[in-house]
Amino acid sequence: MGIIKDLFVTPKMIGAWGEREIVNKLKLINPFGKNGKILRNIYIPKEDGSTAEIDVVYITTKGLFVIESKNFSGYIFGNENNRNWTATLYAGKTWFGRNKVEKYHFYNPVWQNNSHIRALKNYLGTNLQAISIIVFSNRCEIKALSMERDCTFICKEKELPHVIKDIWHSYPSILDDLQIYSIYDSLKPLTNQDQATRERHIKEIMSKESGEVCPVCGGNLILRTAKKGIQTGHQFWGCSNYPRCRYTRNL
């Protein structure tokens, strides 16, 4: 049954589940005096003609909660100043009994979400307060994260309501209902984009990464597809000198 499930569960589906869980948490928060508008999968046009894809935006009297969903398993390690973070996962034992650990590198989600916020503010033509929240799956354990930035929070899905509550009590109200609906109406047309728009966004990301040099050994980064482990079917950038160099970067 597990093998059959793995054949039909794609990284895209896993990501969508994570976003839906976040939206469900926000909907539970809304009735308790935190009436905001929620949007998913917003493709923000940028000045260079490319797009920035934002997972979830929660528009409230406190400003914009810009949420990036990371549906990883295992242990998460990272630093706000490092380009790449690491997810590690226990992967059974070797034939001689030693524990096997799989490691995956992914682009710093704080940097990623900050670029989304810049694109969002530029599109709206405002320097409105935006709060960055990185939400990891409940299946992971967040380890050794170094974070000192203001207006940036990292949590797991189950912790999101508490994080929102703490922010709500700490930040002043800056928007009224009319302004909230105005921002919502401006962003709503950017959701539910067609397949062509989504594919163009992925190609833009790939073209930016293509030809980059591996920061570990100096080899070229090439597009690969994971064939096993927690990221089966997921594409990523890997070093051309594999297996001598095992550097990877999430797509």
Side-chain angles (χ1 to χ4, degrees), residues 151-164:
C151 297
T152 301
F153 301 85
I154 299 173
C155 67
K156 291 160 61 169
E157 289 171 5
K158 64 183 180 182
E159 299 165 344
L160 182 59
H162 300 288
V163 170
I164 297 288

Side-chain angles (χ1 to χ4, degrees), residues 4-51:
I4 296 175
K5 180 181 178 182
D6 289 341
L7 290 175
F8 291 98
V9 176
T10 65
K12 181 179 179 181
M13 292 168 61
I14 292 173
W17 289 337
E19 292 165 13
R20 282 196 293 269
E21 283 300 308
I22 290 171
V23 170
N24 289 337
K25 292 286 191 301
L26 295 178
K27 287 180 178 178
L28 289 174
I29 293 170
N30 252 356
F32 297 97
K34 304 174 180 62
N35 297 316
K37 301 294 290 183
I38 304 167
L39 290 170
R40 272 183 63 192
N41 299 127
I42 309 172
Y43 287 81
I44 306 291
K46 299 165 69 176
E47 290 182 337
D48 62 1
S50 64
T51 55

Side-chain angles (χ1 to χ4, degrees), residues 74-144:
Y75 296 107
I76 306 297
F77 299 86
N79 184 297
E80 64 177 320
N81 297 315
N82 293 345
R83 178 185 176 89
N84 295 298
W85 291 14
T86 303
T88 64
L89 181 70
Y90 173 70
K93 294 183 178 294
T94 63
W95 63 273
F96 50 87
R98 293 185 60 182
N99 290 339
K100 291 171 59 180
V101 176
E102 292 182 349
K103 292 186 178 182
Y104 296 92
H105 299 286
F106 57 100
Y107 185 65
N108 185 328
V110 175
W111 292 8
Q112 181 182 13
N113 216 30
N114 284 345
S115 69
H116 293 168
I117 289 172
R118 287 194 297 271
L120 181 61
K121 288 183 176 181
N122 187 62
Y123 178 78
L124 293 173
T126 178
N127 195 32
L128 185 67
Q129 177 170 274
I131 300 162
S132 175
I133 305 181
I134 316 300
V135 181
F136 283 94
S137 162
N138 290 329
R139 302 188 312 278
C140 78
E141 186 170 342
I142 300 174
K143 296 275 192 179

Side-chain angles (χ1 to χ4, degrees), residues 187-203:
L187 297 178
K188 184 67 169 67
L190 303 180
T191 63
N192 301 319
Q193 297 295 304
D194 58 24
Q195 185 64 25
T197 301
R198 293 194 293 269
E199 290 178 356
R200 185 167 60 250
H201 175 75
I202 293 173
K203 288 180 180 179

Side-chain angles (χ1 to χ4, degrees), residues 166-218:
D166 289 343
I167 294 172
W168 209 270
H169 292 309
S170 303
Y171 284 69
S173 295
I174 58 175
L175 295 176
D176 57 31
D177 289 343
L178 187 61
Q179 292 170 309
I180 290 173
Y181 278 92
S182 177
I183 294 172
Y184 177 83
D185 290 339
S186 296
L187 297 178
K188 184 67 169 67
L190 303 180
T191 63
N192 301 319
Q193 297 295 304
D194 58 24
Q195 185 64 25
T197 301
R198 293 194 293 269
E199 290 178 356
R200 185 167 60 250
H201 175 75
I202 293 173
K203 288 180 180 179
E204 289 164 1
I205 296 174
M206 292 173 63
S207 65
K208 289 178 181 178
E209 299 281 358
S210 181
E212 279 202 27
V213 174
C214 172
V216 175
C217 72

